[in-house]
Amino acid sequence: MKLYCLSGHPTLPCNVLKFKSTTIMLDCGLDMTSTLNFLPLPLVQSPRLSNLPGWSLKDGNAFLDKELKECSGHVFVDSVPEFCLPETELIDLSTVDVILISNYHCMMALPYITEHTGFTGTVYATEPTVQIGRLLPSPLKDAVEVSTWRRCYTMQEVNSALSKIQLVGYSQKIELFGAVQVTPLSSGYALGSSNWIIQSHYEKVSYVSGSSLLTTHPQPMDQASLKNSDVLVLTGLTQIPTANPDGMVGEFCSNLALTVRNGGNVLVPCYPSGVIYDLLECLYQYIDSAGLSNIPFYFISPVANSSLEFSQIFAEWLCHNKQTKVYLPEPPFPHAELIQTNKLRHYPSIHGDFSNDFRQPCVVFTGHPSLRFGDVVHFMELWGKSSLNTVIFTEPDFSYLEALAPYQPLAMKCIYCPIDTRLNFIQVSKLLKEVQPLHVVCPEQYTQPPPAQSHRMDLMIDCQPPAMSYRRAEVLALPFKRLFEKIEIMPELADSLVPMEIKPGISLATVSAVLHTKDNKHVLQPPPRPAPPTSGKKRKRASEDIPDCKVLKPLLSGSIPVEQFVQTLEKHGFSDVKVEDTAKGHIVLLQEAETLIQIEEDSTHIICDNDEMLRVRLRDLVLKFLQKF
Amino acid sequence: MQGTAKALPGAAHGPKVRARRESGLSIPTLWVTAAWRPRKERGSQPGTPGSEGGSGALSGKSFNSSRKGVPGGTGLGSRTQGGWGPGPGRVLLQVQAPGRGRGPRAGPAWEPGLRPLHPPALGSHARPLGYAQAPPRQIRLRSVPPPPARVYLPCRRRRSRRCWTRRPAPSHRPAARDWLSAVQSEGPERGRAFPAGAPEAGAPGCACAVRAAGLVPAELRSWAVVGQAWSVGSGSAAATGWGAACRMPEIRVTPLGAGQDVGRSCILVSIGGKNVMLDCGMHMGFNDDRRFPDFSYITRNGRLTDFLDCVIISHFHLDHCGALPYFSEMVGYDGPIYMTHPTQAICPILLEDYRKIAVDKKGEANFFTSQMIKDCMKKVVAVHLHQTVQVDDELEIKAYYAGHVLGAAMFQIKVGSESVVYTGDYNMTPDRHLGAAWIDKCRPNLLITESTYATTIRDSKRCRERDFLKKVHETVERGGKVLIPVFALGRAQELCILLETFWERVNLKAPIYFSTGLTEKANHYYKLFITWTNQKIRKTFVQRNMFEFKHIKAFDRAFADNPGPMVVFATPGMLHAGQSLQIFRKWAGNEKNMVIMPGYCVQGTVGHKILSGQRKLEMEGRQVLEVKMQVEYMSFSAHADAKGIMQLVGQAEPESVLLVHGEAKKMEFLKQKIEQEFRVNCYMPANGETVTLPTSPSIPVGISLGLLKREMAQGLLPSAKKPRLLHGTLIMKDSSFQLVSSEQALKELGLAEHQLRFTCRVHLHDSRKEQETAARVYSHLKSVLKDHCVQHLPDGSVTVESILIQAAAHSEDPGTKVLLVSWTYQDEELGSYLTSLLKKGLPQAPS
């Protein structure tokens, strides 16, 4: 059993597990942090950005000078963003049988794998994961308008990739070729997010990716099913282990209120799904008490409407409180009411209706959180010069300082309230204590304190035995020895078995049966009865046939007590039995028959003349004292 | 109420209750096993009533004697008392009242072994069964051979494990079947039937019958449970009801409702020692006790929770969930109740509605209360589609999409390798708002399917829709009013979508109303559970939600008297109460108006009466209502038609099929079709009848990977002529079963191998030197044994496979050489063959 690590990013993993003749890809994350090295793509031509000075190497080599621009001490690439794909050379990706997706953030590299590697398998994901994943901004979709990316992905390819996804529900058992069973479990992080169990009858691997123990909107994490794992692969822990999500939400609200009260605008760069539901719910409770009921909230995204609508229909994937609301029937999320009362308005883009309705001061939720593309670029340009305004970062995926770098110098206030509900290290150690896996495998980042806080020894995974770590492009042999496989004994065969009790509580039965293997399922059937001899002549010949040495005799065990053996011999008509002692045992002599029987602790040797009758008689006497296996 | 009358639960219900009162038995069925009757009679075909009556009495006697003989009662005894299911020997005794038209069914077309009796008035178990006291009944006896290869005898299991070692050699040991016949021929005295050395029945630790069932760990575990159940049962035998089923390799099904009937769905299934109740419905045709299933069948004194492992509700229609609060709160059940999310959401609302009509309008007392509905719903566990729910360690259930109404599901119930699929109500053709039912090729042992439209093959949906729209349009054009009685959820939405799109297309102005209350709420449910609707609605719901209607408005009671045309959807769908009946009474007198019944109507409802052509209806207070309005029936019921049922059977590939939720006559037809087309057995038990299916679950054990790989490496497909055998040793330790190679078994048990070796002296007349003799032996063997590995070693010896042959000079006779042939016990065949071959001498060497 091996684990191939194709991505080094701990929260956007892409691993391949080889297990019992199946090749399973675990997640398909695309590392998008590289966008931060590029200049933002403005919606309208920005004189500031286009007038940035070029940058050239110190040795004067300037062949890249048109592409590299300098902005307040940082160098940026002035082109369409490019991303770091998972490793493709480590393993032949066309041999991947299935891809398991754990949440909608971890599927962005999917079209690349399914459309460009000869992949012919199936992708498994939950329905919310697919529906929301389809909405999320991704290079796959947003970049299609840009010619550079077209070579890699087209919209058609994205659709083709999505068509290979098979929808699954939590706790659904999916058989892979009869060899392995995979099961998604609720992970509590996002709508439809899942952990996966990959198991055969005797082995169990748990894949924990992006899980949360906090009570937010999704169904709570299923921990019990992770128990008794041989290996637990742990990825997708919180990216901000020092921040408490609850505190961050409070800070978010108070900063928002403060800015708006002072007449400024608030910009919240965010994804169109996920934490925004929780933020809206908090604001719903907070608006009136903070006296913000007249402030318009705008949610601008090409998928704003879909995201808000979709969130309301996945009742089965929500936490219990929200489910009971649906049973009333009421929409599970309060943002339905915000929309109804016109407090929250959503627009596909800043063009069209939005420009008519736009009122300041206001709060705008828009993407992309990297501040490199999407409508957020426009608002940064628009509001960046006024210190009244505030930008509040809530998504933890990008470093806010780097995200802001190309906008420097900036007058607007920046608040960093990263809300990451995924497991932190305290929760991890609690979880590991609870589920007790034999081995833990995790990205190497989790086995040492973060580089910026190297003294924080608590910010790493602490377990016994120590976690095995992996890094990009590494192949890990998992400590796993398969000893048994399930086989079914047909009832007819079971009927014919004769158990013997060897020791108290332990019985044995010798089995001779025909093995049938189909779809990786093994069945033992009773051996066919030998065909009855048809005629006398043939029978005679058959008896002369060379015996098939495949007819196996059982093994023997035990030892022969000499005195009893001699008594038995005498009882059976052997007279003149002599016994001699040797170093290792005894020699029994049958003088009449010129036969010699050497008896030792664990061997018996019968030496006789070529008299088959005699030999068989002696054999049967010897066998009486031995146990057969 | 004739013809199918006896199939109606009411009819089955009445006598059952009576029978119990007279007899003190809770058994509506009686199975007499062969074990208690002389063999002669077992072979007899259904013959004269007299002889059968005699055997019936005999069985009654022997029944008693067996109870006396074995203190505490044997498994069979207590099971028969419990009334649930047959013993292993399959002799059926059918008692029936003459002239009730059941004759033909008892004929040759019978399913072997699976038609139990209907409850006659039986004597108590304390005295001989009193068939003589019921002279008008015809008694039929039929012998059915036991199912091949698997005979499960509870008493066998009761032998202790110790007897394994003492068991005689296999050839002398009677096989389970032989044993049975021994018992049969020896008559009722069962003690004698035990092979020598077997301790008396009732010994603790009954996990000994390794052979028959023997090797399943799960079974071992449940045997312990069985042991307990029996000990309980023997103490208070009367307390053991239906639920006292023990672990048998058989599946038993008893409908308490919906057996040859529509309405009051409630089916008991016992599989792998687990008892599951499928649906818990009410009957719309009755207002008395018969409207709910008779739960006392399950157990009379015990708690239901002890006898049922879980309850599954397929969808929210009242004939599938209407009795749930009565069952869980008034009768008392605290175990889990499984249903899908939409069902969980909608079910309490319909129950509350039902309660209101029953209590507030009809003034019934002793009905369940609102609080009971709430408490009942607290016991519900919601399931996702395709989620495998582990009810306990062994029992798992899985829901499939059924497409009948929002949230309708089919359920697979699985224990080990045995499984049953219950379809609930389902629809195989996608409609305007729901998708089609789907199930994978799960090959269950039994498929329990509804059969509402067992004989109907519906024309295309498009035609029906066109017809419907035409009729509505015409009536509205001539100024008439159209009443469409519907249930608030289900067809209502389907027809609303249909009319809404039609109104929009044709630009009609006549108002469409929807009776208020439930319906608005209902549409809201559809919006929130849109993932359960069909693909098209799911795809477009962001742009346009199909359940937001523009033309359809809420109805007010006053509107019914408005002049001019209108279309009204009103609840309930069978015109048996409520608003739809009120409107019907108002409009019935005018021939311009029309009522369209879009679904099935249960017998006894106004809907059923007008559909069967009745035009003068007796209403409450002796009023007679003359129906002049046009009555139309259009099947928009989302039930599968005959084609759809066949399609589902084809999809699931069950080993046998059982029909419920349909009319007996129609079922009969479908049963034949299924048996012809799929060559599987098909059953259609009436309420209270038990169907028993023997199963033969295979036994899972762990095989050591080394052994398996060694075997697999030799090629996967054994040739048909010479099958290759796998040899190994099965180690049984506690409940774990491991198949390992013999060597490994020795090692694991810490035993040393004992090598048994033979060396035979073969004398050969050969005056040449030893080496030359050896060479001759070598060339001879080489030419004879072409398939074997024959080698001539440098030290002068010859090997054939692992058999060693050495040539030595004879001590006395120089013209004779002695060949020493040496082999181990494992190579015995080849070794003895070689000696006999060499004894014949070597062929003359070429000089």
Side-chain angles (χ1 to χ4, degrees), chain A residues 127 169-173 202 219 305-306 309-310 312-317 323 326-332 482-492 494-503 505-515 517 522 524 527-528 544-560 593-595 600-612 615-616 619 622-623 626-629, chain B residues 149-150 161-162 164-165 167 170 173 210-212 215 341-342 344-345 349 382-388 390 396 398 521 524-525 527-532 538 541-542 696-706 708 711-712 716 718 722-734 738-740 742-743 745-746 749 751-763 784-785 788 801 822-823 825-826 828-830 832-833 835 839:
Chain A
E127 184 170 0
Y170 289 150
S171 306
Q172 179 176 349
K173 292 179 178 171
Y202 291 89
Q219 220 181 77
N305 188 25
S306 306
E309 288 285 339
F310 269 117
Q312 306 285 20
I313 66 160
F314 292 122
E316 290 158 67
W317 309 86
Q323 266 178 18
V326 173
Y327 291 172
L328 289 178
E330 275 172 23
R482 291 181 51 220
L483 293 174
F484 283 96
E485 176 67 275
K486 190 189 147 188
I487 195 165
E488 298 213 324
I489 296 185
M490 295 297 282
E492 295 83 19
D495 279 356
S496 69
L497 297 182
V498 190
M500 295 186 294
E501 195 163 23
I502 296 294
K503 291 177 183 175
I506 301 176
S507 300
L508 296 184
T510 50
V511 179
S512 286
V514 182
L515 173 71
T517 299
H522 312 291
L524 280 184
E544 283 170 13
D545 258 353
I546 302 160
D548 187 1
C549 63
K550 294 268 157 43
V551 179
L552 219 77
K553 289 270 171 139
L555 293 184
L556 302 170
S557 176
S559 58
I560 297 175
E594 285 187 45
T595 297
E600 285 173 18
E601 182 61 31
D602 49 8
S603 71
T604 303
H605 194 169
I606 300 175
I607 302 162
C608 62
D609 264 343
N610 189 8
D611 179 354
E612 189 67 7
R615 187 184 69 78
V616 170
R619 178 199 69 187
V622 168
L623 288 182
L626 297 174
Q627 288 164 327
K628 288 180 198 173
F629 288 85
Chain B
R150 307 242 80 197
R161 201 182 274 255
R162 269 175 290 140
W164 287 358
T165 43
R167 190 170 285 177
R173 211 157 32 89
V210 178
R211 264 177 348 113
L215 303 170
H341 284 271
Q344 190 189 357
I349 292 164
V383 300
H384 291 250
L385 276 185
H386 301 162
Q387 175 188 5
T388 307
Q390 213 73 45
E396 58 182 46
K398 182 178 178 182
K521 232 179 178 182
H524 212 113
Y525 280 118
K527 281 185 229 164
L528 292 173
F529 285 110
I530 214 131
T531 48
W532 283 78
R538 272 191 345 224
F541 92 102
V542 176
S696 56
S698 52
I699 291 137
V701 302
I703 184 170
S704 90
L705 215 57
L708 184 68
E711 207 57 34
M712 305 264 283
L716 278 174
K722 248 192 186 174
R724 210 160 25 75
L725 289 180
L726 174 147
H727 297 275
T729 303
L730 189 63
I731 307 179
M732 289 164 264
K733 204 192 291 174
D734 304 324
Q738 290 178 350
L739 183 60
V740 298
S742 305
E743 295 88 341
L746 280 176
L749 293 168
L751 299 174
E753 193 198 333
H754 190 101
Q755 210 184 47
L756 177 57
R757 181 167 271 281
F758 303 99
T759 302
C760 273
R761 295 185 288 264
V762 182
H763 298 266
V784 177
L785 303 166
H788 293 261
E801 304 287 346
S822 178
W823 68 91
Y825 173 62
Q826 279 70 29
E828 194 180 22
E829 314 268 312
L830 189 61
S832 85
Y833 169 76
T835 50
K839 206 174 171 185

Side-chain angles (χ1 to χ4, degrees), chain B residues 632-708:
Chain B
E632 294 287 344
Y633 172 71
M634 311 209 103
S635 162
F636 280 97
S637 284
H639 289 280
D641 60 2
K643 216 166 86 186
I645 297 172
M646 299 298 272
Q647 206 181 329
L648 187 89
V649 175
Q651 264 183 25
E653 285 194 2
E655 280 170 24
S656 43
V657 178
L658 189 143
L659 304 178
V660 292
H661 201 280
E663 290 160 30
K665 266 192 228 158
K666 294 181 180 174
M667 278 183 178
E668 200 80 55
F669 173 81
L670 184 66
K671 172 173 140 67
Q672 276 173 14
K673 268 211 84 158
I674 289 174
E675 288 180 341
Q676 273 168 17
E677 192 155 318
F678 297 104
R679 310 238 163 251
V680 298
N681 289 334
C682 183
Y683 312 101
M684 37 174 285
N687 288 332
E689 283 186 351
T690 301
V691 166
T692 306
L693 289 171
T695 58
S696 56
S698 52
I699 291 137
V701 302
I703 184 170
S704 90
L705 215 57
L707 179 61
L708 184 68

Side-chain angles (χ1 to χ4, degrees), chain B residues 377-456:
Chain B
M377 294 314 286
K378 281 181 196 151
K379 297 170 186 172
V380 170
V381 182
V383 300
H384 291 250
L385 276 185
H386 301 162
Q387 175 188 5
T388 307
V389 180
Q390 213 73 45
V391 177
D392 58 29
D393 285 349
E394 291 158 21
L395 175 62
E396 58 182 46
I397 60 173
K398 182 178 178 182
Y400 291 95
Y401 191 77
H404 172 66
V405 286
L406 194 72
M410 309 192 270
F411 280 89
Q412 183 191 38
I413 301 117
K414 201 171 168 193
V415 179
S417 59
E418 295 160 81
S419 64
V420 170
V421 169
Y422 172 60
T423 63
D425 293 356
Y426 63 102
N427 186 11
M428 292 299 284
T429 43
D431 57 25
R432 275 166 197 270
H433 78 293
L434 295 173
W438 176 87
I439 195 162
D440 52 14
K441 209 182 274 309
C442 53
R443 297 198 175 98
N445 295 90
L446 179 67
L447 173 76
I448 303 175
T449 172
E450 65 133 329
S451 50
T452 322
Y453 290 109
T455 52
T456 321

Side-chain angles (χ1 to χ4, degrees), chain A residues 149-166:
Chain A
W149 280 87
R150 194 159 288 159
R151 267 175 288 133
C152 221
Y153 310 115
T154 64
M155 205 58 205
Q156 200 183 1
E157 281 169 344
V158 173
N159 285 332
S160 162
L162 291 176
S163 75
K164 290 181 176 129
I165 299 182
Q166 195 165 326

